[in-house]
Amino acid sequence: MRTPRNDQLSQTDRAGKRGDHVPERRCVVTGEVAPAERLVRLALGPDGTIAPDVLGKAPGRGAWIGVSRADLETAQAKGKLKGGLARALHEGNFTIPDDLGALIEARLERATLDRLGLESRSGTLISGNEKIEQAARRGQVRLLLHSSDAGEDGRKKLAQAWRVGEEDEGSGREGMVLPVDRHVLSMALGRENAVHLAVTDARAADRVLAHLSRWQFFTGWSRDAANRVSTNDFRSAGGTDSRKAGNGTAFTDSDTDSDASDAY
């Protein structure tokens, strides 16, 4: 069995040019391995401080975690995180910030919102009830998202249109509720009253989900009636599969590929 490296994702990994190969990273606590796109990298900075590297691009040594914030903070309090990092980094002289969990959560949120903003500017993300409903009924929606304060009636109406467009009316597909409200979404997208969002491209949906599923798992957010439509036949589809990676383990660098994680 090969031993995964303790490094950042390579350009090849991020570009997704290794065929069916999926880059993986090893757990610094349990030794388990999982796809890097589901994990969060911790990088060792020049000053000896451990910092979140949610895009997996920072140079130098690092290790990967796949735990919720609560589990991370428990491992940190018990010294288990420091021990795992020391083994992975071959270095014991480093500092772990007391607020590491909060730093990771903030950067995962920022990365997801930035990803949504990029998709909006590229034309693969739409907003507005009427526009989304029309696209949904035409079978053009690949991922449906709602702010945390979106009304139930609005969510149900758009979900129904989505199911009709996909000829999937008995599926219960509803879309995903984001861990932020309309104000935060509107600020991130530069739009007024961004309550409901829809991604109309399958690859774009993968990119958004790669960020969103990590953020949701880390925060413990569960209002993600995980459903989307993709030409990839629900590859790692949404919150459900993505959360399987986060089972209370932390991971180190190895070798992983993900179209979703590279396109930030």
Side-chain angles (χ1 to χ4, degrees):
M1 181 176 180
R2 63 184 175 81
T3 301
R5 304 185 308 273
N6 289 319
D7 57 6
Q8 71 277 25
L9 291 180
S10 68
Q11 290 292 338
T12 303
D13 287 336
R14 291 196 296 270
K17 295 180 180 178
R18 294 190 178 182
D20 294 331
H21 171 71
V22 176
E24 296 175 333
R25 296 297 183 266
R26 183 177 296 278
C27 172
V28 298
V29 176
T30 67
E32 295 180 10
V33 173
E37 66 176 357
R38 299 179 181 179
L39 312 178
V40 175
R41 185 173 188 258
L42 301 179
L44 178 62
D47 62 352
T49 300
I50 297 295
D53 173 27
V54 300
L55 301 182
K57 296 182 179 181
R61 290 174 290 172
W64 297 68
I65 61 168
V67 294
S68 67
R69 179 174 174 177
D71 289 339
L72 174 71
E73 291 175 346
T74 296
Q76 186 172 353
K78 293 182 177 180
K80 193 172 184 180
L81 176 63
K82 185 169 182 72
L85 288 171
R87 289 189 295 273
L89 301 172
H90 305 289
E91 169 71 59
N93 187 24
F94 56 83
T95 301
I96 303 176
D98 292 338
D99 61 346
L100 179 61
L103 291 173
I104 294 172
E105 182 170 337
R107 295 190 189 182
L108 288 173
E109 176 179 333
R110 184 72 265 159
T112 304
L113 295 176
D114 285 350
R115 181 72 257 167
L116 290 172
L118 288 172
E119 299 302 342
S120 177
R121 291 190 291 276
S122 69
T124 59
L125 182 144
I126 59 176
S127 62
N129 289 29
E130 184 175 344
K131 187 180 292 186
I132 292 175
E133 184 174 3
Q134 290 176 354
R137 290 188 180 279
R138 293 170 183 161
Q140 297 171 344
V141 170
R142 295 294 171 264
L143 176 64
L144 182 61
L145 304 170
H146 313 285
S147 67
S148 62
D149 57 345
E152 184 178 1
D153 289 345
R155 293 200 312 268
K156 287 184 175 180
K157 181 179 179 180
L158 293 179
Q160 175 63 20
W162 191 21
R163 292 193 293 268
V164 169
E166 294 302 322
E167 299 181 353
D168 197 16
E169 295 186 58
S171 69
R173 179 182 289 124
E174 297 179 0
M176 302 176 74
V177 179
L178 299 168
V180 292
D181 62 20
R182 69 186 68 193
H183 175 71
V184 174
L185 279 182
S186 298
M187 291 288 290
L189 299 177
R191 303 183 182 187
E192 292 185 5
N193 202 32
V195 180
H196 306 285
L197 306 173
V199 181
T200 57
D201 177 81
R203 290 174 68 85
D206 285 338
R207 293 191 293 265
V208 170
L209 281 170
H211 289 289
L212 178 56
S213 59
R214 287 191 307 162
W215 179 27
Q216 286 183 309
F217 168 72
F218 188 74
T219 60
W221 183 259
S222 61
R223 292 178 64 196
D224 60 356
N227 307 315
R228 43 77 63 88
V229 178
S230 170
T231 54
N232 291 331
D233 193 27
F234 297 88
R235 179 174 62 82
S236 296
T240 304
D241 282 351
S242 298
R243 285 192 304 274
K244 291 179 181 177
N247 56 1
T249 21
F251 300 79
T252 62
D253 295 336
S254 132
D255 185 80
T256 320
D257 173 75
S258 163
D259 166 51
S261 64
D262 75 63
Y264 174 79

